Amino acid sequence: MTDQEPDARGAAAVTFVNTFTVHAEPEVFEKEFARTSEFMARQPGFVRHTLSRHAERPGQYVNVAEWRDLASFRAAVSGAGFRPHAEALRALSESRPELYLARLRRDGALDDAAPAREEI
């Protein structure tokens, strides 16, 4: 468990997880998602994200994004600049967005001799 709890302004880091079921060609979705990625990377509070495609179902994707805080995430997705990106992705897929607060993080060993490090 972490000792990081959100304050009244939502200042704890958040993880945004969005699962996509794509009904377009995967390459078309990935290209459109890359445009959205470029936009989001310029938003205050954005830390990083990873878009992954399911290993056995090519129409299934998951995006895992880290944000400095909930307020930054909400500002990014409520701004007028985000709307065209959301609409373009909705035209190509159905999604299930979720927000999470970190509870435990563990990094893997860098090599066989190094012990795993725990960050809380």
Side-chain angles (χ1 to χ4, degrees), residues 9-14 44-47 66-74:
R9 295 164 296 158
V14 294
F46 177 85
V47 177
E66 295 177 45
W67 287 82
R68 184 179 60 229
D69 54 57
L70 183 57
S72 296
F73 171 79
R74 295 235 187 263

Side-chain angles (χ1 to χ4, degrees), residues 15-84:
T15 301
F16 175 68
V17 179
N18 199 352
T19 304
F20 294 93
T21 300
V22 176
H23 50 261
E25 290 297 318
E27 297 77 20
V28 172
F29 173 78
E30 290 175 19
K31 187 173 183 176
E32 190 60 48
F33 192 92
R35 285 193 264 285
T36 302
S37 173
E38 291 171 10
F39 170 81
M40 296 307 266
R42 293 189 305 268
Q43 303 310 301
F46 177 85
V47 177
R48 74 180 60 85
H49 84 88
T50 302
L51 177 68
S52 299
R53 190 165 90 178
H54 194 285
E56 297 174 342
R57 294 189 303 268
Q60 298 289 310
Y61 289 81
V62 65
N63 175 48
V64 179
E66 295 177 45
W67 287 82
R68 184 179 60 229
D69 54 57
L70 183 57
S72 296
F73 171 79
R74 295 235 187 263
V77 298
S78 65
F82 178 68
R83 177 172 282 147

